[in-house]
Structure formats: C-alpha cells, structure tokens
Amino acid sequence: MTLNFVEIPTAGGGWFKPADVKDAVAFLIEVNSYEAQRPTPNGPKDSALCDVTVFKSAEALAAHSPEINRGMRIEQTLLARDLEKVVGNATIVKLDQVPPKRPGAHPAWVWRPVNDASVRQAVIEYAKAREAAVQAAVADAPSFDD
C-alpha cells in the first residue's frame, strides 16, 4: 500500500503583512484552507491559511531563492476573499493598493495578476523544480515493505 502524505495546515508562518513585502516582484500563493468570518480577538475575519513564497526582487527570482512562509495567515478582507476560490491550488500574483471609497479610509490591498510573462514563467519554473526535488527525494527514500 502506498501512502499519500499530506501536510496538516498550521499557522506557524505568522500573519501576512502587505506593507512588508509590497515591492515584491511576485508571490506564489498556495492556499491550504479558507474560513469565512473566523473568530479572532478583534472580531470575526475572513481568513486564508496559505504557503506564501515571496520573490522580493528580480535577482531572487532568477536565483530561485525566495522567502518561503509555510502556514501563513492572510486576514486582510479583500486579499483573503480573493483566495477563497483557490483552496487546494496555487496562484501567481503581486500586490497593489486601491484608493479608498470613503473619505478618510485607508487604501485597500489587492492581488493583481503578474502580467510579465517572463516573471510568471520564472515562478512556474521554480515551482516545477521544487516539485521535481520533492519527487526525487521520495523516490530515493528507502522502502520498508521488503
């Protein structure tokens, strides 16, 4: 019998803070789960639990050396809601801000598609290389069935 290993999503990666990574070239967001109106000390919030790979610069993207955050909680309203339909999948995006609709309100953070084909391709190549490395490690693992 072969085992299908699955990671249990945990919030060990802290909370996503858009202002800290606003200038990143691209994000690879792998959405593990989504909870609408999850109870928090600050009231209920829509919440996505994700693995967030941040390519902070073109150099980091070219070198395949991103910042990897496993189990990161995203609770900014628009960012979390956009990830609801991506659960169990991944997306390549970047951050942007939109002006507030009400006077005195803060600009909202939103995901935008990465329109630069070379950036998208580089992120896809990184993801494929990472997956190939995982598959190679699994293939090299000893068999205890014998």
Side-chain angles (χ1 to χ4, degrees):
M1 177 176 104
T2 59
L3 297 175
N4 184 22
F5 290 97
V6 177
E7 296 284 332
I8 296 174
T10 59
W15 276 261
F16 185 73
K17 296 177 180 130
D20 292 349
V21 290
K22 66 182 183 218
D23 296 323
V25 175
F27 297 86
L28 172 62
I29 310 285
E30 299 166 87
V31 185
N32 298 317
S33 66
Y34 176 84
E35 292 177 68
Q37 298 300 292
R38 176 179 169 271
T40 73
N42 299 318
K45 294 183 179 284
D46 292 335
S47 180
L49 187 60
C50 307
D51 294 337
V52 180
T53 304
V54 184
F55 295 93
K56 290 188 172 181
S57 66
E59 293 78 22
L61 181 59
H64 285 186
S65 61
E67 175 184 295
I68 300 169
N69 304 284
R70 294 184 53 81
M72 181 169 266
R73 183 77 61 189
I74 299 176
E75 291 186 335
Q76 292 79 7
T77 304
L78 295 175
L79 297 179
R81 287 184 187 163
D82 283 349
L83 297 174
E84 179 180 11
K85 292 179 175 53
V86 186
V87 173
N89 295 297
T91 186
I92 301 169
V93 292
K94 60 183 179 176
L95 278 172
D96 195 10
Q97 278 190 303
V98 294
K101 293 183 179 177
R102 297 184 320 258
H106 295 289
W109 290 103
V110 294
W111 300 118
R112 295 284 188 227
V114 173
N115 294 325
D116 184 333
S118 64
V119 170
R120 284 187 64 79
Q121 188 58 41
V123 173
I124 290 168
E125 287 170 9
Y126 163 79
K128 286 180 179 178
R130 185 184 73 182
E131 185 62 26
V134 168
Q135 293 303 323
V138 169
D140 290 342
S143 172
F144 297 101
D145 293 335
D146 298 332

